[in-house]
Amino acid sequence: DGGITQSPKYLFRKEGQNVTLSCEQNLNHDAMYWYRQDPGQGLRLIYYSQIVNDFQKGDIAEGYSVSREKKESFPLTVTSAQKNPTAFYLCASTTRTGSIDTQYFGPGTRLTVL
Amino acid sequence: GQQVMQIPQYQHVQEGEDFTTYCNSSTTLSNIQWYKQRPGGHPVFLIQLVKSGEVKKQKRLTFQFGEAKKNSSLHITATQTTDVGTYFCAGVWSGGYNKLIFGAGTRLAVHP
């Protein structure tokens, strides 16, 4: 929704391989986020970036890495150090309208590690 | 740490019945947001509550923020099959740089 694209929708990888999930936005939003969602659970924050070339760890950053070289792009790498990488990954960006901060989510990437 | 508890986990209703989901934080929130996620989809922003005791309505949906800014609720009047999905609350704390902490969500099933 709202100009955030994530590709691919479904991704399969072998155990032990690193994999990079893409997230692109054309909304001119400064802040971007990566969440992980497991079946029947809420969203947990992996990493977030308030501005280009800066990012912070979220609650479950171990086994993940990110970069923010461009405002529009915030790729997430799932490394082999992540013990249980199979999950639904959601990217989001935030805009402020008046006093309201709205997070727009991309369609998500469903990663399955075999 | 900061967390938001949300109940119930699941709710099955007959079409036309009302539905309510509740969120609670042990510490005072700066604001709380509500999202809806349809099956197989991604979360979509519904509303943000900022003021103590705030009540906002969107058609059949009523959102409340507690006086102490520690709890919130979403009430749907006369549910329809289009209301099916998972409803999440997400809390923001002061100094949290817009970092949202999501509740586990309430999955709503509506039987026609």
Side-chain angles (χ1 to χ4, degrees), chain B residues 16-88:
Chain B
E17 291 182 338
D18 292 355
F19 159 78
T20 306
T21 174
Y22 302 90
C23 281
N24 186 67
S25 165
S26 58
T27 55
T28 302
L29 297 163
S30 172
N31 66 78
I32 194 162
Q33 299 181 13
W34 285 91
Y35 291 80
K36 177 183 178 180
Q37 184 176 24
R38 293 184 185 276
H42 57 276
V44 174
F45 175 83
L46 293 176
I47 209 158
Q48 176 177 291
L49 304 172
V50 180
K51 299 176 184 175
S52 169
E54 190 169 16
V55 178
K56 287 188 177 179
K57 293 191 176 185
Q58 289 179 350
K59 297 183 179 178
R60 295 177 294 103
L61 278 61
T62 302
F63 303 85
Q64 293 188 331
F65 202 11
E67 293 290 341
K69 298 183 71 172
K70 290 183 179 180
N71 55 73
S72 181
S73 65
L74 159 59
H75 179 82
I76 302 178
T77 303
T79 54
Q80 300 174 359
T81 54
T82 53
D83 296 325
V84 165
T86 302
Y87 293 84
F88 293 98

Side-chain angles (χ1 to χ4, degrees), chain A residues 32 49 51-55 66-75:
Chain A
M32 297 186 72
S49 169
I51 199 168
V52 174
N53 291 324
D54 184 55
F55 48 83
V66 293
S67 63
R68 187 84 189 276
E69 297 176 2
K70 298 186 298 182
K71 189 175 186 177
E72 314 82 65
S73 179
F74 190 38

Side-chain angles (χ1 to χ4, degrees), chain A residues 2 4 25 27-33 92-104, chain B residues 33 35 45 48 98:
Chain A
I4 300 180
Q25 55 104 353
L27 301 168
N28 200 34
H29 292 171
D30 287 313
M32 297 186 72
Y33 305 78
S93 66
T94 296
T95 188
R96 168 162 285 198
T97 304
S99 62
I100 296 179
D101 296 304
T102 304
Q103 284 215 350
Y104 293 91
Chain B
Q33 299 181 13
Y35 291 80
F45 175 83
Q48 176 177 291
N98 296 330

Side-chain angles (χ1 to χ4, degrees), chain A residues 47-62:
Chain A
Y47 267 97
Y48 63 105
S49 169
Q50 297 290 317
I51 199 168
V52 174
N53 291 324
D54 184 55
F55 48 83
Q56 287 81 40
K57 293 182 179 180
D59 301 314
I60 54 165
E62 186 175 351

